[in-house]
Amino acid sequence: MNTHATPTANIDDRVSLRAPLLFAAVTLLGFGLAYSLAGTALGRVAFPDQAVGSIVERDGKAVGSALIAQPFADTKYFQPRPSAAKYDPMAASGSNQARSNPDLRKRIAEDTAAIAQREGIAVGEVPAELATQSGGGLDPHISPRAAQVQAARVAKARGVEVSKVEALIAANTEAPQFGVLGQPRVNVLKLNLALDAAR
């Protein structure tokens, strides 16, 4: 009995492999490469700033992202919300502490008292967001009210009138998205850069 494959059998094997190999190549190149390149190109055209991380530049140098909060140590700058992630974009997270957690309550009370002292206002006037962390720990925005309570300190540190700082807050207040989503907000990085540019 002849156990060797005939030439016809070899041809049939090649034909039967052609379709799955062709399908695999089309899938890999089409969806793995072409689709990704098309999506990236479309994003760069339709949303050029967001596609590269909404990088904010000053004098041609990147100073941060409009999407990620960063700390400002100097008293002449507005302060963002506190961050459970220490403002590290690679460690975005909330504190994961429940509102009933005694450690969380203690930290918020201490931070609120410190903010009130720093801004020269009563404890009850401190907006909650200045003492609480956002869910991702990197929220770059504060409310106009949270900016307003910092205006006097910033103006004093810069030696300018409060009205000038308040005008910059108003000019940098963003309306709700599409006019209905969210609340008015102020991007802290952009506001601080506007302060530096106005000197």
Side-chain angles (χ1 to χ4, degrees):
M1 181 176 179
N2 187 3
T3 58
H4 295 291
T6 65
T8 303
N10 289 335
I11 292 172
D12 290 342
D13 288 343
R14 286 196 296 268
V15 170
S16 64
L17 284 175
R18 185 177 301 153
L21 289 175
L22 180 62
F23 179 77
V26 169
T27 301
L28 180 64
L29 295 176
F31 295 105
L33 180 63
Y35 178 80
S36 300
L37 291 175
T40 301
L42 180 61
R44 292 295 295 266
V45 172
F47 307 100
D49 291 334
Q50 295 89 334
V52 294
S54 297
I55 301 300
V56 178
E57 295 184 353
R58 179 170 62 182
D59 301 327
K61 181 181 178 182
V63 294
S65 169
L67 303 176
I68 300 175
Q70 63 186 62
F72 291 88
D74 201 310
T75 57
K76 68 180 183 178
Y77 290 113
F78 285 87
Q79 300 299 313
R81 296 181 69 168
S83 171
K86 308 292 187 206
Y87 303 102
D88 180 1
M90 301 304 292
S93 66
S95 68
N96 292 330
Q97 293 177 318
R99 295 175 67 181
S100 59
N101 187 300
D103 292 336
L104 176 64
R105 290 174 177 265
K106 179 183 178 184
R107 184 194 63 75
I108 289 175
E110 291 173 350
D111 287 356
T112 301
I115 293 166
Q117 183 176 12
R118 181 187 75 198
E119 307 301 345
I121 59 177
V123 170
E125 295 177 357
V126 175
E129 75 211 63
L130 288 180
T132 57
Q133 302 154 341
S134 63
L138 300 170
D139 189 347
H141 297 95
I142 57 176
S143 68
R145 174 65 185 146
Q148 287 287 345
V149 301
Q150 301 183 61
R153 168 183 53 81
V154 171
K156 181 178 179 181
R158 289 177 176 268
V160 299
E161 295 181 1
V162 175
S163 59
K164 183 177 180 180
V165 175
E166 290 175 338
L168 284 172
I169 293 172
N172 285 275
T173 297
E174 303 171 17
Q177 192 170 19
F178 308 122
V180 294
L181 299 178
Q183 300 294 322
R185 58 201 181 278
V186 179
N187 187 288
V188 177
L189 173 60
K190 290 181 178 180
L191 176 58
N192 284 333
L193 291 176
L195 278 166
D196 285 343
R199 61 187 173 188

